[in-house]
């Protein structure tokens, strides 16, 4: 036996995928473009978000019913049926009445912005020890999302028609910029 111990095996480090930086840049550019478009037409952005959410709810409800037909003996059948019916009815209501639905979506958007901001801040704090990561910019984006979400909820009911589109525009632009900011921080393959 030898007195020298072998060095402990190190776990292989994951290398970034080729083109990962390009993907960040392309998605960032798309988010910025969508944000600028929403800034120029905030009521249209609010209307589009309301209609899109209604269509998504309707599709989720119909999909839920289809799954119930396939898996009708599963536990929780009644709850799944109730959820599917509520999703279908909610989707139809949003599609038929998108402007009143926009008011409800204003509350949902505000809560989503607050949640996204909290997650972004947590993500930034988790990366603050990495010297190559611009965690401060990521945290700033999170703080901005929390402030926007809080303002959106605070300004109800007057903010229901235009503010969601404006805030969505600001959020898309700031998210796109944060993708641009983090893309160069990724090491080259």
């Amino acid at each position: 036996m030898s007195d020298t111990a072998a060095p402990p095996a190190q776990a292989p480090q994951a290398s970034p995928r080729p083109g990962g930086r390009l993907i960040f840049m392309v998605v960032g550019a798309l988010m910025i473009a969508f944000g600028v478009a929403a800034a120029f037409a905030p009521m249209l952005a609010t209307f589009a978000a309301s209609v899109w959410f209604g269509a998504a709810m309707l599709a989720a409800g119909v999909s839920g019913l289809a799954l119930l037909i396939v898996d009708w003996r599963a536990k929780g059948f009644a709850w799944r049926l109730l959820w599917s019916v509520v999703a279908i009815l909610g989707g139809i209501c949003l599609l038929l009445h998108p402007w009143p639905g926009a008011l409800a979506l204003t509350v949902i958007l505000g809560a989503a912005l607050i949640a996204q901001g909290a997650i972004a801040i947590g993500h930034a704090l988790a990366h603050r020890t990495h010297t190559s990561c611009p965690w401060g910019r990521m945290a700033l984006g999170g703080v901005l999302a929390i402030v926007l979400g809080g303002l959106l909820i605070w300004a109800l009911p007057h903010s229901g028609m235009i503010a969601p589109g404006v805030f969505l525009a600001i959020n898309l632009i700031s998210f796109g910029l944060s993708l641009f900011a983090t893309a160069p921080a990724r090491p080259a393959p």
Side-chain angles (χ1 to χ4, degrees):
M1 259 195 150
S2 164
D3 287 340
T4 60
Q10 293 181 354
Q13 297 209 356
S15 61
R17 291 183 179 179
R21 181 173 188 269
L22 177 64
I23 291 170
F24 270 70
M25 301 296 275
V26 168
V27 172
L30 285 172
M31 292 297 115
I32 291 169
F34 291 145
V36 168
F40 280 113
M43 286 186 74
L44 181 62
T46 299
F47 182 81
S50 184
V51 170
W52 181 88
F53 193 72
M57 281 184 68
L58 180 61
V62 169
S63 299
L65 281 181
L67 287 174
L68 281 176
I69 292 169
V70 172
D71 193 20
W72 61 274
R73 287 189 266 187
K75 286 189 171 192
F77 176 84
W79 291 110
R80 291 169 52 194
L81 177 63
L82 178 64
W83 176 86
S84 296
V85 169
V86 167
I88 288 171
L89 292 175
I92 290 171
C93 285
L94 278 173
L95 289 171
L96 293 177
H97 307 287
W99 289 117
L103 192 61
L105 288 177
T106 302
V107 174
I108 294 169
L109 179 60
L113 285 171
I114 291 169
Q116 178 193 359
I119 291 168
I121 290 170
H123 183 72
L125 292 175
H127 285 83
R128 71 179 182 269
T129 58
H130 297 104
T131 58
S132 64
C133 183
W135 69 273
R137 286 181 259 173
M138 291 174 16
L140 180 63
V143 169
L144 180 62
I146 289 173
V147 168
L148 289 174
L151 285 172
L152 192 58
I153 292 172
W154 177 71
L156 283 172
H158 308 293
S159 64
M161 297 304 151
I162 294 177
V166 172
F167 283 13
L168 189 59
I170 293 169
N171 186 55
L172 287 170
I173 292 169
S174 69
F175 181 64
L177 291 173
S178 73
L179 288 176
F180 271 108
T182 57
R186 299 198 164 278

